[in-house]
Amino acid sequence: MKLRVIGCYGGYPAKGVGTSSYLLTAGDYHLLIDCGSGDLLSLEKYFDPLKLNAVVLSHYHWDHIADVGVLQYYWQLHTEGRQESVLPIYGNSADPLNLGSLTWPNSTKGEGYNGNSKLNLGPLTITFKRTIHPVPAYAMRIEDNHTKHVLVYTADSNYFEGLAKFAQNADLLVTDTNYYANKNSVEPRWHMTSSECGKLAKQSNCKKLLLSHLPQYGDLKQLITEARKTAGSKPRIGLAHVGKVVEI
Ligand SMILES: [Zn+2]
Ligand SMILES: [Zn+2]
């Protein structure tokens, strides 16, 4: 599998960089994971949006779904060249109103999932884990059926031990790294700090850690230094930036 970062800020876009979105490619299958603010413009630079096979959304906060509406219009206005006759968009069924908005006549079709779901999408198998967040949000464990390689995406969440179990032995762990380590003592929190992401990487025994859902301030390299202190020496640690490709 190959993961390309389409947008990587948490909360809001800044300096030309959009919020959470990732394009996952396995063979000739293309899955867009989240589609936040500024992400359709970014996606168009790297990939034809009509060639998507599916979209999966972690939760219905704007920094993860703001550009879903315009992606639906894109499909509505292009009836030729679609990879699928109708684009499936998977969203959690805990919020039926938002799930309903994913269906757009002859363009996109909303499909619900919950914490017990197992989706088989092309060569991928996806399972979910509800996270700690103010609205229903789900981490995803995505396995390539051919290579058996695993991507785990935490979506938005505070740290909890169950997340480390869910992410066990991931080849790539992509984390919600919304805060520097100096926020460790601030509770309640709905996102992780750099050092919690490092701890999660260590506990899950992942091979690579990609820090994403980043703050718009400070020296982002500091997030890597802070994560390294709790991650130990094993995992490779990278920082998300738009266009970055990580082999899984
Ligand atoms: Zn977010
Ligand atoms: Zn959120």
Side-chain angles (χ1 to χ4, degrees):
M1 291 184 286
K2 194 174 79 172
L3 188 78
R4 186 186 286 279
V5 177
I6 302 298
C8 57
Y9 277 143
Y12 59 92
K15 300 170 208 153
V17 173
T19 60
S20 286
S21 184
Y22 311 90
L23 178 64
L24 181 66
T25 297
D28 58 1
Y29 191 86
H30 304 282
L31 174 70
L32 189 67
I33 304 170
D34 286 341
C35 186
S37 179
D39 289 329
L40 185 58
L41 265 178
S42 176
L43 178 66
E44 285 171 17
K45 288 183 191 148
Y46 304 103
F47 191 73
D48 177 354
L50 295 175
K51 299 300 177 200
L52 290 171
N53 293 95
V55 179
V56 62
L57 305 174
S58 60
H59 65 305
Y60 302 110
H61 272 160
W62 296 114
D63 54 326
H64 299 254
I65 60 163
D67 272 11
V68 169
V70 286
L71 177 63
Q72 289 175 297
Y73 293 158
Y74 196 104
W75 272 63
Q76 180 187 24
L77 295 167
H78 294 86
T79 51
E80 302 289 323
R82 294 178 181 180
Q83 189 67 22
E84 306 281 342
S85 56
V86 167
L87 178 67
I89 306 180
Y90 294 84
N92 74 66
S93 49
D95 181 340
L97 203 61
N98 272 308
L99 175 59
S101 72
L102 303 180
T103 296
W104 196 253
N106 304 316
S107 304
T108 64
K109 170 93 171 71
E111 303 274 3
Y113 70 77
N114 60 41
N116 299 317
S117 299
K118 190 182 214 180
L119 301 182
N120 294 298
L121 305 185
L124 306 172
T125 301
I126 310 181
T127 51
F128 299 90
K129 172 104 188 148
R130 178 92 179 246
T131 70
I132 298 176
H133 208 53
V135 299
Y138 290 83
M140 301 171 201
R141 185 179 176 96
I142 306 179
E143 181 169 325
D144 182 325
N145 299 334
H146 300 308
T147 63
K148 301 296 176 195
H149 291 174
V150 170
L151 160 69
V152 172
Y153 169 49
T154 67
D156 284 9
S157 185
N158 200 348
Y159 169 84
F160 64 105
E161 277 182 11
L163 198 50
K165 287 201 188 85
F166 182 70
Q168 213 49 225
N169 298 322
D171 294 279
L172 175 66
L173 174 64
V174 179
T175 54
D176 166 4
T177 320
N178 209 71
Y179 298 122
Y180 291 91
N182 64 5
K183 281 277 202 302
N184 274 331
S185 58
V186 178
E187 292 285 356
R189 254 188 297 114
W190 308 115
H191 304 277
M192 288 182 278
T193 64
S194 51
S195 49
E196 286 172 325
C197 293
K199 180 164 76 170
L200 192 67
K202 180 169 187 143
Q203 292 176 335
S204 67
N205 193 38
C206 73
K207 289 201 182 85
K208 287 184 206 169
L209 169 64
L210 181 66
L211 305 174
S212 193
H213 202 280
L214 302 169
Q216 293 84 353
Y217 58 90
D219 177 6
L220 295 177
K221 290 196 192 77
Q222 188 184 325
L223 295 169
I224 296 184
T225 309
E226 293 170 349
R228 178 58 75 193
K229 285 184 187 154
T230 46
S233 56
K234 187 193 161 192
R236 289 170 58 188
I237 304 179
L239 199 57
H241 61 81
V242 171
K244 183 181 179 104
V245 174
V246 184
E247 296 288 340
I248 307 169

